[in-house]
């Protein structure tokens, strides 16, 4: 018998659905955190087990480490780990209270002179990490690290002194963004989707959407990917699609794409499920363990996106 708050039994669901195939992949390969997050999102599992699993990655300084973000190994807290922790807490409706107060104190302690976040602090030096993530002594502020964190905190109506300057940084970074880096565009969308000034957010998103289309940063025809550029430094075939920018129908980025373009994108996403039930990691892989650990998260996000758009997954 499943314990209270645990997932429902697999026998209660139809066999061979995308969800059941993904579930097998998760039980076979994923860390405990992603197993419990999958169970919460798709199998009626409780939030408490997810929080308990996440606690294993939390450090005394209020940040998170221990390879929570698989491409950064080692125990030390880093902004990218902490951003992922907030994403998990948001997913289970626990992004608030004293836990997030401690996180905000950590964010304050590692912020740059302009009040925003670097992607990686120098404390990472000496631990294994992806070669495409540089470690420098005086790291700059990064929209990639700051935008999703600020967006999550605003969406959950968290108010902390750290947010004021970090929000100002995001507005300035978004205004100066020239759309050469698709992941930065995604970080900008994560901020804009929850920014309190909705009129300003809509105007900024409209500008970014035009740049994405002008510079062909979204692959609108998955059958002809060779006609779309891949950003310098990315892995071969590391394209970005409409569903990567607009992960839910209520995202501001959804207006960037026609219904037909979004349908093709979602068809492509659904078809990417592999024989083992998981979705592939599209970015550059540098070691077996980080790639395997990342796949469970990618799989959960793929299912979440498909379900958000009303695609039947199981």
């Amino acid at each position: 018998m499943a314990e209270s708050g645990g997932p429902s039994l697999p026998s209660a669901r139809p066999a061979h659905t995308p969800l059941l195939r993904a579930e097998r992949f998760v039980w076979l390969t994923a860390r405990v955190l992603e197993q419990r997050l999958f169970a919460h999102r798709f199998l009626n599992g409780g939030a408490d087990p997810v929080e308990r699993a996440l606690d294993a990655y939390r450090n005394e300084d209020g940040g998170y480490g221990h390879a929570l973000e698989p491409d950064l190994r080692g125990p030390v807290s880093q902004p990218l780990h902490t951003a992922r922790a907030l994403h998990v807490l948001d997913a289970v409706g626990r992004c608030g209270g004293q836990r997030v107060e401690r996180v905000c104190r950590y964010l304050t302690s590692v912020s740059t002179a302009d009040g925003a976040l670097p992607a990686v602090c120098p404390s990472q030096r000496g631990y294994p990490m992806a070669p495409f993530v540089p470690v420098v002594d005086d790291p700059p502020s990064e929209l990639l690290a700051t935008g999703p964190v600020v967006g999550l905190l605003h969406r959950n109506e968290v108010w902390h002194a750290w947010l004021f300057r970090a929000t100002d940084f995001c507005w300035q970074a978004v205004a100066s963004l020239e759309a050469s880096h698709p992941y930065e565009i995604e970080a900008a969308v994560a901020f804009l989707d929850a920014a309190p000034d909705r009129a300003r957010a809509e105007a900024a998103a409209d500008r970014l959407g035009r740049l994405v289309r002008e510079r062909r940063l979204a692959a609108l025809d998955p059958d002809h990917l060779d006609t779309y550029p891949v950003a310098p430094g990315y892995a071969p075939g590391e394209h970005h699609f409409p569903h990567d920018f607009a992960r839910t129908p209520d995202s501001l980025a959804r207006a960037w794409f026609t219904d037909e373009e979004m349908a093709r994108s979602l068809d492509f996403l659904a078809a990417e499920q592999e024989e083992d039930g998981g979705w592939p990691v599209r970015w550059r892989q540098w070691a077996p363990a980080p790639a395997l650990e990342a796949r469970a998260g990618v799989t959960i996000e793929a299912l979440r996106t498909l379900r958000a758009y009303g695609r039947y997954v199981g």
Side-chain angles (χ1 to χ4, degrees):
M1 180 179 294
E3 65 176 296
S4 178
S8 57
L9 295 175
S11 59
R13 297 183 305 284
H16 308 305
T17 66
L19 181 62
L20 193 61
R21 292 167 57 208
E23 181 183 350
R24 177 176 172 78
F25 171 78
V26 167
W27 295 137
L28 182 65
T29 69
R31 303 180 295 191
V32 172
L33 175 62
E34 280 77 25
Q35 289 178 4
R36 291 181 171 181
L37 185 59
F38 181 93
H40 174 77
R41 283 196 179 278
F42 303 107
L43 306 177
N44 299 314
D48 287 346
V50 181
E51 276 203 275
R52 287 195 294 270
L54 184 62
D55 277 342
Y57 299 90
R58 183 162 56 89
N59 288 322
E60 291 299 318
D61 60 8
Y64 289 76
H66 308 279
L68 179 55
E69 165 53 57
D71 281 335
L72 301 179
R73 317 304 285 185
V76 294
S77 296
Q78 290 293 340
L80 291 180
H81 294 313
T82 306
R84 181 169 287 242
L86 288 173
H87 181 74
V88 172
L89 292 171
D90 175 67
V92 299
R94 300 287 177 86
C95 194
Q98 291 186 353
R99 180 190 294 272
V100 174
E101 175 69 25
R102 290 194 296 268
V103 168
C104 287
R105 287 200 296 269
Y106 164 76
L107 298 176
T108 301
S109 72
V110 298
S111 291
T112 60
D114 52 11
L117 296 174
V120 181
C121 297
S123 57
Q124 182 66 33
R125 188 175 283 115
Y127 296 104
M129 61 183 297
F132 48 82
V133 182
V135 179
V136 297
D137 290 332
D138 188 18
S141 299
E142 297 277 2
L143 179 62
L144 189 68
T146 312
V149 169
V150 173
L152 277 171
L153 294 177
H154 279 309
R155 183 164 72 244
N156 287 277
E157 299 182 343
V158 173
W159 290 104
H160 187 276
W162 176 79
L163 266 175
F164 291 97
R165 294 184 67 205
T167 300
D168 287 342
F169 166 82
C170 289
W171 283 124
Q172 295 167 13
V174 169
S176 62
L177 201 59
E178 288 303 320
S180 61
H181 185 343
Y183 289 114
E184 280 192 321
I185 300 294
E186 293 177 21
V189 171
F191 165 68
L192 294 173
D193 277 347
D197 188 338
R198 300 311 300 154
R200 186 177 181 183
E202 290 169 7
D206 183 67
R207 184 186 77 86
L208 291 182
R210 290 196 301 272
L211 288 174
V212 165
R213 295 191 72 92
E214 289 168 4
R215 303 192 181 189
R216 295 171 60 79
L217 296 183
L220 303 180
D221 185 355
D223 291 331
H224 297 90
L225 291 180
D226 57 337
T227 66
Y228 292 91
V230 174
Y234 284 27
E238 192 176 350
H239 293 95
H240 290 246
F241 301 87
H243 65 261
D244 291 314
F245 297 102
R247 295 185 180 274
T248 63
D250 58 357
S251 171
L252 291 173
R254 175 62 184 87
W256 301 353
F257 309 107
T258 67
D259 291 347
E260 292 77 13
E261 289 166 347
M262 185 58 69
R264 285 197 297 270
S265 182
L266 294 169
D267 288 344
F268 178 81
L269 177 62
E272 272 202 305
Q273 187 175 24
E274 298 187 334
E275 287 297 319
D276 62 6
W279 267 258
V281 171
R282 300 188 65 85
W283 59 86
R284 192 184 311 166
Q285 300 178 36
W286 60 281
L292 181 61
E293 290 175 2
R295 280 193 72 200
V298 169
T299 296
I300 291 170
E301 288 304 307
L303 291 169
R304 176 173 174 256
T305 297
L306 291 168
R307 188 170 68 176
Y309 279 95
R311 296 295 184 104
Y312 180 72
V313 295

